[in-house]
Amino acid sequence: QVQLVESGGGLVQPGGSLRLSCAASGFSLDDYAIGWFRQAPGRERDGVSCISRGDGSTFYADSVKGRFTITRDKSKNTVYLQMNTLKPEDTAVYYCAAEVYGSSCLRLISSGMDYWGKGALVTVSS
């Protein structure tokens, strides 16, 4: 059974950092691309970052390039999203998602993802 569980969300001041974790079970990170998406209140779900299966190529939305870093630890079957220099506009529920082929993930398109976690709330506020 495929399962994704996010953790690490919370309240942080502008300019601060958080690291989100996405623990995967029921499949190997070698076989699925993993993406991070976020949804702010009243807005659509947007792609943030993706790490491909296989060679682990990474992709980022322009809004987070240079501030966020996606990595994976295959020994723990976990993907991380390190978020630095956080801004109030980064406030959202962050979801991790898995896609077996990766074509949607690499383009940060949420509609093509196969499995989703329940999300973790990140609030950036002073």
Side-chain angles (χ1 to χ4, degrees):
Q1 180 181 358
V2 172
Q3 190 173 16
L4 299 165
V5 179
E6 302 94 337
S7 61
L11 173 64
V12 63
Q13 292 186 341
S17 298
L18 278 177
R19 189 179 78 159
L20 300 180
S21 300
C22 173
S25 59
F27 67 96
S28 168
L29 295 183
D30 282 328
D31 299 326
Y32 282 76
I34 303 295
W36 286 98
F37 297 81
R38 66 185 181 186
Q39 188 166 18
R43 300 192 63 176
E44 294 185 352
R45 192 170 296 186
D46 294 325
V48 175
S49 183
C50 176
I51 187 164
S52 70
R53 64 179 188 175
D55 68 0
S57 298
T58 58
F59 303 85
Y60 298 94
D62 288 342
S63 59
V64 306
K65 279 182 183 176
R67 300 190 297 124
F68 290 12
T69 304
I70 189 170
T71 57
R72 66 184 181 185
D73 184 337
K74 289 196 280 184
S75 68
K76 297 181 179 179
N77 223 38
T78 298
V79 173
Y80 303 97
L81 185 69
Q82 178 67 44
M83 305 184 293
N84 298 329
T85 320
L86 283 161
K87 305 175 182 180
E89 51 264 43
D90 293 319
T91 295
V93 177
Y94 283 72
Y95 300 88
C96 67
E99 184 193 11
V100 64
Y101 292 113
S103 58
S104 293
C105 184
L106 304 184
R107 294 178 292 163
L108 302 179
I109 297 174
S110 62
S111 59
M113 303 304 288
D114 297 314
Y115 302 100
W116 289 87
K118 293 184 177 181
L121 176 62
V122 172
T123 303
V124 184
S125 175
S126 55

